[in-house]
Amino acid sequence: MTDNVVRDAFFALHHGLPRQGPGSDSTTLRLLSFVGPLPERPRVLDLGCGPGRSALLLAAETGGEVTAVDLHEPFLDELRAAAKARGLADRIHPVNADMGELPYQDASFDLIWAESSAYSIGFDNALRRWKRLLAPGASLVLTECEWTAADPSTEARAFWEPHYALRTAEENVRACTGAGYSVLGVHRQPESDWDEYYGPLAERADATDPQTPGMAEALAGARAELAMRRDHGGDYGYTGYALRPAASWPTRPESAADITAVHAVNAAAFPTAAEADLVDALRADTDAWLPGLSYVAEAPDGTVAAHALITRCLVGGAPAAALAPVAVLPRYQRTGAGSAVVRAVLDAARARGERLVLVLGHPAYYPKFGFTPASGYGIRPGFEVPDEAMMALVLGAADGSWQVPQGTITYPAAFGV
C-alpha cells in the first residue's frame, strides 16, 4: 500500500472535524490578548489554517484581512464555505501554499498566526523563516507541543522521539529569545483544548469503516495517539507563545565562562564594586540563586555587554523573584543592550514558572517592561524608599489557584537589608 493511500485515508478521517489540533476559541482569544493593539485593519497571516477555525475567529475579532494558508485544498474549500456563511468571504483569503516557502514580501503582515502547525517545518525553522514577513511592531503567535513533566515516561519518549523532538518550555523560550524575539506572553493550553480535538476524532474513528483502502493504518495511528494522551497526557502538552522581534542585541543565559566578565560589567556600571560582589554572593547562595536566570547581552565581538539577574525573594513568606542588579558597560549604555537583557531574563523567568518579579529602580525606566508600583498589590519593602521606585511585575495572571501575595519583601541575606 502506498503512502499516498494512507495519507488520503488520514485526511478522510479528519475531514469535517471542528479542529485539526488541540485548541479552543478561548485559547485563541487568550493568545490574541497578549499581542495588544493592532492596526485598524490588520494584515493577518494564518499558517497551516486547516478548515479555518482560527482564521474565522481572527477575522471577526481583529476586523482584519486574513490570508489563510494550507497545502490541503479540501480544508481550504471548507474554509471558503464557512467564510461565506459568516459574511467574511471578502476578508478571508484561502491560499494553497507551503508555509516553509511562502511567496510574500518582507514586512507584509501585522500578525502571523500558527496554531498546531509550526511543527510541520520545525519550531526553530518557523521562528527564522517567518520573521522577515513581520512588519515593524508586528507579532508572531504560534503553539508548540512540549514536555510538561520533568521526567517524561519511557512510553511517551518512545512515542514522540521517532516523529518530533519535544523540548521543555524553558528550552523553547530560549529558542525564541535566541532567534531575536521578545516573549509577550506564554499560555499553557488546558486539557479541555485536547478534548475539543480528540473527542470528535475518537467518535469519528469509532464510526469509520476500516475496510476503506488505507483506513486501517490511519485508524491505528489515530487510536495510538488517543491512547498515548489518555495514559501519558501529563508528560506533554501544547503551549502558545506570543512573540515580537526584539532589539538586535543577542542574549543568552550566563555560562561558567562568563563569571569574570559579569563581575567586570557590574563593577564598571556602578560607582563601586558592591553590585559586582552582590552577584558573586548571590551565586553562592543556593537558596537565592535561580538557575538560568542570570542573563547576558553580547556585544558585536561576542563579549559581555550587559547583565541582568533574577534571584529568589519572599513576599509575606511566599516565593517571589527580585530583579537586581541590571548592569551595562558604560560604552554600551543607551544602545538597547540593557533593555534586551532585561526582557530576556523576564522571558526566562516566565518560562520557568515565576509569577511575580520585583524591582527597586528608576520609575521612568522599568514601566516599559510592565512594572507598576508594588504598593498597588499590597507589597512593600522592609525599608524606606519612594513608593514609585519599588515596582512589581505579575508574569502569571492571578486565578483560583494563585493570587498575588501581599506583605513585606524579604531579600536574600546578600542584599544586606
Side-chain angles (χ1 to χ4, degrees), residues 41 55 58-67 83 87-93:
R41 199 172 179 88
L58 290 170
E61 289 293 322
T62 68
E65 300 276 341
V66 179
T67 301
L88 295 171
D90 62 330
R91 292 198 288 109
I92 294 181
H93 312 290

Side-chain angles (χ1 to χ4, degrees), residues 43 104-110 130-136 138:
R43 300 162 296 169
Y104 304 112
Q105 295 182 349
D106 293 359
S108 294
F109 297 97
D110 303 300
W130 299 343
K131 190 176 184 182
R132 70 171 184 83
L133 300 173
L134 294 167

